[in-house]
Short mmCIF file of all heavy atoms in Angstrom, two decimals:
data_model
loop_
_atom_site.label_atom_id
_atom_site.label_comp_id
_atom_site.label_asym_id
_atom_site.label_seq_id
_atom_site.Cartn_x
_atom_site.Cartn_y
_atom_site.Cartn_z
N SER H 21 -15.43 2.60 1.07
CA SER H 21 -15.84 1.44 0.26
C SER H 21 -14.67 0.72 -0.39
O SER H 21 -14.86 -0.33 -1.01
CB SER H 21 -16.83 1.89 -0.82
OG SER H 21 -16.22 2.81 -1.71
N ARG H 22 -13.46 1.29 -0.27
CA ARG H 22 -12.26 0.63 -0.80
C ARG H 22 -11.20 0.58 0.29
O ARG H 22 -11.17 1.43 1.18
CB ARG H 22 -11.73 1.36 -2.03
CG ARG H 22 -12.66 1.23 -3.24
CD ARG H 22 -12.08 1.86 -4.48
NE ARG H 22 -12.95 1.62 -5.61
CZ ARG H 22 -12.94 0.54 -6.37
NH1 ARG H 22 -12.08 -0.43 -6.10
NH2 ARG H 22 -13.78 0.39 -7.37
N CYS H 23 -10.35 -0.41 0.20
CA CYS H 23 -9.28 -0.58 1.19
C CYS H 23 -8.48 0.70 1.34
O CYS H 23 -8.08 1.32 0.34
CB CYS H 23 -8.38 -1.74 0.77
SG CYS H 23 -6.92 -1.96 1.81
N ALA H 24 -8.22 1.11 2.57
CA ALA H 24 -7.48 2.34 2.84
C ALA H 24 -6.05 2.29 2.32
O ALA H 24 -5.42 3.34 2.13
CB ALA H 24 -7.47 2.62 4.34
N ASP H 25 -5.53 1.09 2.07
CA ASP H 25 -4.12 0.97 1.70
C ASP H 25 -3.87 0.61 0.24
O ASP H 25 -2.96 1.14 -0.37
CB ASP H 25 -3.44 -0.06 2.61
CG ASP H 25 -3.47 0.37 4.06
OD1 ASP H 25 -3.26 1.57 4.32
OD2 ASP H 25 -3.73 -0.47 4.94
N CYS H 26 -4.67 -0.29 -0.34
CA CYS H 26 -4.43 -0.69 -1.73
C CYS H 26 -5.59 -0.37 -2.66
O CYS H 26 -5.48 -0.54 -3.87
CB CYS H 26 -4.11 -2.19 -1.81
SG CYS H 26 -5.54 -3.27 -1.60
N GLY H 27 -6.72 0.06 -2.10
CA GLY H 27 -7.86 0.44 -2.95
C GLY H 27 -8.74 -0.70 -3.39
O GLY H 27 -9.63 -0.51 -4.23
N ALA H 28 -8.55 -1.91 -2.85
CA ALA H 28 -9.41 -3.04 -3.21
C ALA H 28 -10.85 -2.76 -2.76
O ALA H 28 -11.08 -2.15 -1.72
CB ALA H 28 -8.90 -4.32 -2.56
N ALA H 29 -11.79 -3.20 -3.58
CA ALA H 29 -13.20 -2.93 -3.31
C ALA H 29 -13.72 -3.81 -2.16
O ALA H 29 -13.20 -4.89 -1.89
CB ALA H 29 -14.03 -3.18 -4.57
N ASP H 30 -14.73 -3.29 -1.49
CA ASP H 30 -15.49 -4.04 -0.47
C ASP H 30 -14.62 -4.61 0.66
O ASP H 30 -14.57 -5.83 0.87
CB ASP H 30 -16.28 -5.19 -1.14
CG ASP H 30 -17.18 -4.70 -2.24
OD1 ASP H 30 -17.78 -3.62 -2.07
OD2 ASP H 30 -17.26 -5.37 -3.28
N PRO H 31 -13.92 -3.77 1.40
CA PRO H 31 -13.11 -4.28 2.53
C PRO H 31 -13.99 -4.88 3.62
O PRO H 31 -15.05 -4.35 3.93
CB PRO H 31 -12.39 -3.02 3.03
CG PRO H 31 -13.24 -1.88 2.59
CD PRO H 31 -13.85 -2.30 1.28
N ASP H 32 -13.56 -5.99 4.17
CA ASP H 32 -14.31 -6.71 5.21
C ASP H 32 -13.64 -6.62 6.58
O ASP H 32 -14.12 -7.23 7.53
CB ASP H 32 -14.46 -8.19 4.83
CG ASP H 32 -15.72 -8.42 4.00
OD1 ASP H 32 -16.62 -7.57 4.04
OD2 ASP H 32 -15.78 -9.45 3.31
N TRP H 33 -12.53 -5.90 6.67
CA TRP H 33 -11.77 -5.83 7.91
C TRP H 33 -11.55 -4.37 8.29
O TRP H 33 -11.66 -3.47 7.46
CB TRP H 33 -10.42 -6.54 7.76
CG TRP H 33 -10.58 -7.99 7.41
CD1 TRP H 33 -10.81 -8.53 6.18
CD2 TRP H 33 -10.61 -9.09 8.32
NE1 TRP H 33 -10.95 -9.89 6.26
CE2 TRP H 33 -10.83 -10.27 7.57
CE3 TRP H 33 -10.44 -9.21 9.70
CZ2 TRP H 33 -10.90 -11.53 8.14
CZ3 TRP H 33 -10.51 -10.46 10.28
CH2 TRP H 33 -10.73 -11.61 9.50
N ALA H 34 -11.23 -4.14 9.55
CA ALA H 34 -11.00 -2.78 10.02
C ALA H 34 -9.94 -2.77 11.10
O ALA H 34 -9.77 -3.74 11.84
CB ALA H 34 -12.30 -2.17 10.55
N SER H 35 -9.20 -1.67 11.15
CA SER H 35 -8.27 -1.45 12.25
C SER H 35 -8.98 -0.62 13.30
O SER H 35 -9.30 0.55 13.05
CB SER H 35 -7.01 -0.72 11.75
OG SER H 35 -6.22 -0.33 12.86
N CYS H 36 -9.22 -1.22 14.45
CA CYS H 36 -9.97 -0.52 15.49
C CYS H 36 -9.10 0.44 16.28
O CYS H 36 -9.59 1.12 17.19
CB CYS H 36 -10.66 -1.51 16.41
SG CYS H 36 -9.53 -2.61 17.29
#
Side-chain angles (χ1 to χ4, degrees):
S21 63
R22 292 184 176 275
C23 174
D25 298 319
C26 75
D30 305 321
D32 271 340
W33 300 82
S35 171
C36 62

